[in-house]
Amino acid sequence: MPAAELCDRPVTVEQVWGRPAIAELRDRLATANGPHEMLTLLEQELMRRLCETAGLGLVRHTSGVIAATSGSVAIGDLSVAAGVSSTHLARRFKELIGVTPKRLARTYRFAATAFAIDPAGPIEWGELAAGAGYFDQAHFGHEFRAFTGLTPTRYVEVRRRFLREHPGHVMDGWPLPAD
């Protein structure tokens, strides 16, 4: 099943792998000698299924570059470096991980930017946007709303309120508000 069919919707492992495969895995897990062996069996099954995936090396390498650059890489350069067309690269990504390389890069770049926001101090939005590689502050604001549903200013207000109302909360070091 292409990963794009799974994107943004909950599914069970049984729906993806099929009832017979899950029944067989469940039987193997039930006879395991403890949690460590169960995890080992599950890991082996996941690796076996992964090894059968065409194009995995291409996607793994390209997504590694995207991750290493926090999404600040031109996708066209990645396809040229890999020796494939951008269409082929996008198709493999959608089949294997459910999103295009551009979407993955946007996600990494936004996450890095959100982690860089210090809600305790003043925020210079223009500098933050430029440092993250956004075209301009308007582009940054559009991306921010696309990912969070909030403007950057509103996000910081919500985050500051959350931190005031829940001092020492486990989410204290995380970039997104929990409300």
Side-chain angles (χ1 to χ4, degrees):
M1 174 181 293
E5 292 182 28
L6 306 174
C7 190
D8 296 328
R9 70 172 221 188
V11 293
T12 65
V13 176
E14 188 174 285
Q15 289 173 300
V16 177
W17 290 351
R19 185 169 292 172
I22 294 306
E24 189 268 331
L25 178 60
R26 190 176 290 124
D27 290 344
R28 287 188 5 232
L29 292 172
T31 61
N33 292 324
H36 179 66
E37 188 176 330
M38 291 173 84
L39 287 173
T40 301
L41 287 169
L42 184 56
E43 180 182 29
Q44 288 170 349
E45 180 64 21
L46 290 169
M47 292 303 292
R48 183 185 70 74
R49 288 177 178 273
L50 220 73
C51 290
E52 297 173 358
T53 306
L56 180 63
L58 171 66
V59 171
R60 181 179 282 152
H61 173 74
T62 306
S63 60
V65 173
I66 291 170
T69 62
S70 297
S72 296
V73 61
I75 304 305
D77 293 348
L78 293 175
S79 62
V80 169
V84 297
S85 71
S86 57
T87 303
H88 177 79
L89 185 63
R91 187 178 309 121
R92 298 316 282 153
F93 261 75
K94 287 208 52 127
E95 288 172 0
L96 297 179
I97 62 173
V99 297
T100 64
K102 183 173 182 165
R103 173 61 188 229
L104 183 65
R106 284 179 58 214
T107 304
Y108 268 102
R109 181 167 59 168
F110 175 76
T113 306
F115 273 111
I117 296 171
D118 177 9
I123 300 164
E124 175 48 55
W125 294 112
E127 287 178 20
L128 185 70
Y134 288 98
F135 237 12
D136 54 26
Q137 196 169 336
H139 178 215
F140 169 69
H142 175 75
E143 285 285 280
F144 207 98
R145 281 186 299 278
F147 277 101
T148 66
L150 303 170
T151 65
T153 303
R154 178 69 183 132
Y155 162 82
V156 170
E157 289 170 1
V158 170
R159 180 123 187 262
R160 286 176 177 158
R161 187 183 81 231
F162 177 82
L163 293 174
R164 272 192 318 274
E165 293 173 0
H166 307 281
H169 190 278
V170 69
M171 298 295 285
D172 192 355
W174 287 84
L176 300 175
D179 92 340

